[in-house]
Amino acid sequence: MVDIKLIRDNPDYVKAAIKKREMDLDSVVDEILAVDKERREATGAVESKKAEQNAVSKEIPKIKKAGGDASEVLAKMKKLSEEIKEADAKLSEINDKQQELMLCLPNLPDEDVQAGGKEQNIPDHYFKEKPVFDFEPKNHVDLCESLGMIDYQRGAKIAGNGAWIYRGWGARMEWAILNFFINEHLADGYELILPPHMLNYECGYVAGQFPKFGDEVYWIQNPTSTDKKFMLPTAETALVNLHRDEILTADELPKKYIAYTPCYRREAGSYRSEERGMIRGHQFNKVEMVQYTKPEDSDAAFKELVGKAERLVQELGLHYRLSRLAAGDCSFSMARTYDIEVWIPSMGIYKEVSSASNARSYQARRGNVKFRDENKKLQFVHTLNASGLATSRVLPAIVEQYQNADGSVTVPEVLRKYMGVDVIKPQD
């Protein structure tokens, strides 16, 4: 959530920052300011009446002690009480209106983030050269089928389009990738979390997905109660809620978490030929990193998260590029995002396997997550996240970039201790 003080003090800056996202919310900002003025006036009126009520109430025992008639004062008290009740109700309505308007505002992009949509994304650097084959390379779908790694047909049979089944060496490679990621993060001092997959509404609200993107998740309604939950679209949604409504100490920060979960997305695969297989799906596995930091430490934390995600892809030996996203391509809650995109030879394009983002205080304001600094002053923490990594594109990239002329696939060296083989060969 954007700081209301910033909107009051510099509305033109807020409007210009939002325009970098290719969004025009000038009228919303103006309405927020108008409602905020009304709210402050209403708050002042309520407080004035309550102060008057307190002063009048102190007169009653004095009058009674002196043997006087307090009926007139009691009548005034009753009238004040009714006026306060009415004023409180009005103030509550104004607060709700302001909250509704504030939720329309996305996070403000950092000043150095490029304006515009995804066409303005900037490739920062590349790792390794694109693989060159002296034979006709196959796509990952055909390779995985010929190697018995993925069963697409039975996946679609039991779960519909956008689903697949890992089996044999495919299941073992998926598990090896996850083990490799988790062990690397543990070695770096991150705490492993296995969160629930069904979350309450507040989790989506704090993460910034609700109410605007509430139709992009899978909802689950308990048929025997009013309990309604949603399937997590990413472990970030759970991790940024761990300290909701808590006050941390400066000594506790930074907090560094990783979580392994499947991720559930309503976004359907485009089903174009170049995106078949595992490139898009309704469920995929991911290891997610999240940090809670002091504001002054969040830039360094962001650099750390980007570096960690890059190191994983580098150790797998995959060609990739790092892209700095333009404001319009950053998600609603994020002030800046870098994407790590692996090369998929058969598609001839790069596909994102990790997004590293800094939400600044946006999520913490929604979740009321604060810390007490060295001067005993309360501040909102900063939250950051990065995939470390999503596997549904890592595995296709491995299979395609490591394929051999005989249809086999060489196993990346860092995965061999988990799999027990150097090469996955075609089935007889």
Side-chain angles (χ1 to χ4, degrees):
M1 188 172 294
V2 179
D3 185 357
I4 185 62
K5 188 175 185 299
L6 176 62
I7 300 174
R8 285 191 208 119
D9 294 344
N10 203 339
D12 290 338
Y13 170 79
V14 173
K15 292 176 181 178
I18 293 172
K19 282 187 172 70
K20 288 177 67 175
R21 287 180 170 270
E22 299 189 316
M23 300 171 68
D24 187 347
L25 297 177
D26 286 7
S27 61
V28 176
V29 174
D30 290 339
E31 190 173 359
I32 287 172
L33 289 171
V35 172
D36 184 57
K37 181 181 179 182
E38 183 183 6
R39 181 190 63 80
R40 285 185 288 164
E41 290 174 351
T43 300
V46 169
E47 290 176 350
S48 177
K49 286 186 179 296
K50 288 181 178 178
E52 184 181 359
Q53 185 184 48
N54 288 335
V56 171
S57 67
K58 292 177 181 178
E59 295 298 317
I60 297 174
K62 293 179 182 178
I63 294 172
K64 288 184 175 180
K65 186 176 181 180
D69 182 4
S71 59
E72 185 177 338
V73 178
L74 289 170
K76 187 176 182 180
M77 280 286 292
K78 182 179 179 182
K79 183 181 178 183
L80 277 171
S81 180
E82 291 172 351
E83 290 175 350
I84 290 170
K85 183 178 179 181
E86 184 178 334
D88 276 335
K90 180 182 177 182
L91 181 58
S92 179
E93 289 179 9
I94 296 172
N95 282 329
D96 289 345
K97 179 62 176 178
Q98 184 177 41
Q99 180 79 348
E100 180 184 344
L101 290 167
M102 291 287 287
L103 293 178
C104 295
L105 300 184
N107 201 347
L108 304 184
D110 288 345
E111 292 188 14
D112 63 336
V113 172
Q114 182 74 16
K118 62 181 180 181
E119 67 282 353
Q120 299 300 322
N121 292 349
I122 302 171
D124 188 87
H125 59 260
Y126 295 79
F127 177 75
K128 295 184 68 173
E129 298 294 326
K130 293 179 183 176
V132 177
F133 305 98
D134 57 4
F135 57 91
E136 185 67 29
K138 297 179 180 179
N139 63 58
H140 66 278
V141 175
D142 293 339
L143 281 165
C144 286
E145 288 182 332
S146 66
L147 295 170
M149 298 176 68
I150 306 292
D151 193 332
Y152 297 104
Q153 291 185 341
R154 291 186 176 89
K157 180 170 68 175
I158 66 175
N161 288 329
W164 57 84
I165 296 173
Y166 296 98
R167 60 189 310 167
W169 287 115
R172 293 178 67 173
M173 178 173 281
E174 177 77 358
W175 209 243
I177 293 170
L178 292 169
N179 271 281
F180 166 59
F181 292 164
I182 290 171
N183 286 339
E184 290 292 300
H185 298 316
L186 291 176
D188 289 338
Y190 282 67
E191 180 182 351
L192 177 61
I193 302 288
L194 294 177
H197 296 184
M198 295 185 294
L199 305 177
N200 55 34
Y201 181 89
E202 288 77 8
C203 289
Y205 169 81
V206 171
Q209 291 149 353
F210 301 159
K212 188 174 178 63
F213 305 104
D215 59 348
E216 295 183 5
V217 299
Y218 284 106
W219 289 96
I220 299 175
Q221 178 69 58
N222 187 332
T224 60
S225 74
T226 59
D227 187 28
K228 186 179 181 181
K229 296 181 180 178
F230 67 99
M231 302 297 292
L232 58 74
T234 168
E236 172 209 339
T237 311
L239 295 178
V240 298
N241 278 273
L242 287 182
H243 299 288
R244 187 173 71 210
D245 295 320
E246 293 181 19
I247 296 176
L248 307 174
T249 65
D251 292 342
E252 291 181 85
L253 299 174
K255 285 190 173 292
K256 301 181 179 183
Y257 298 115
I258 60 165
Y260 157 68
T261 65
C263 301
Y264 307 93
R265 305 279 177 89
R266 280 191 62 188
E267 59 177 6
S270 65
Y271 307 126
R272 294 178 296 183
S273 60
E274 71 269 22
E275 292 197 344
R276 65 194 178 115
M278 300 166 61
I279 299 303
R280 283 185 179 271
H282 295 290
Q283 177 184 325
F284 59 91
N285 294 319
K286 181 156 66 83
V287 176
E288 184 77 4
M289 302 179 280
V290 161
Q291 286 199 32
Y292 294 73
T293 73
K294 301 174 187 176
E296 62 268 26
D297 296 335
S298 71
D299 285 333
F302 180 75
K303 184 177 180 180
E304 176 190 321
L305 289 171
V306 173
K308 280 175 56 61
E310 281 197 85
R311 191 181 76 222
L312 296 175
V313 189
Q314 291 171 2
E315 291 186 10
L316 288 170
L318 297 172
H319 168 62
Y320 73 88
R321 73 180 181 192
L322 180 73
S323 293
R324 290 182 279 140
L325 300 196
D329 203 25
C330 293
S331 68
F332 194 79
S333 302
M334 300 304 159
R336 72 187 303 114
T337 297
Y338 285 6
D339 274 3
I340 296 173
E341 304 165 324
V342 293
W343 176 249
I344 309 293
S346 67
M347 298 169 67
I349 58 175
Y350 294 90
K351 281 292 185 180
E352 174 245 317
V353 294
S354 178
S355 283
S357 300
N358 192 335
R360 303 295 179 184
S361 63
Y362 188 88
Q363 292 174 323
R365 289 178 185 279
R366 285 175 169 240
N368 193 31
V369 187
K370 299 178 181 178
F371 76 101
R372 198 176 298 279
D373 64 20
E374 291 79 358
N375 298 318
K376 307 302 180 184
K377 181 182 177 182
L378 287 178
Q379 295 188 55
F380 287 104
V381 301
H382 280 196
T383 57
L384 306 93
N385 72 87
S387 312
L389 304 162
T391 64
S392 59
R393 293 173 180 173
V394 170
L395 194 149
I398 291 173
V399 169
E400 290 200 16
Q401 292 193 31
Y402 277 91
Q403 64 179 297
N404 303 307
D406 64 355
S408 65
V409 170
T410 300
V411 176
E413 188 172 348
V414 292
L415 300 183
R416 293 175 187 174
K417 66 179 180 180
Y418 301 104
M419 295 187 65
V421 296
D422 295 349
V423 179
I424 301 174
K425 299 178 179 179
Q427 295 180 324
D428 296 331

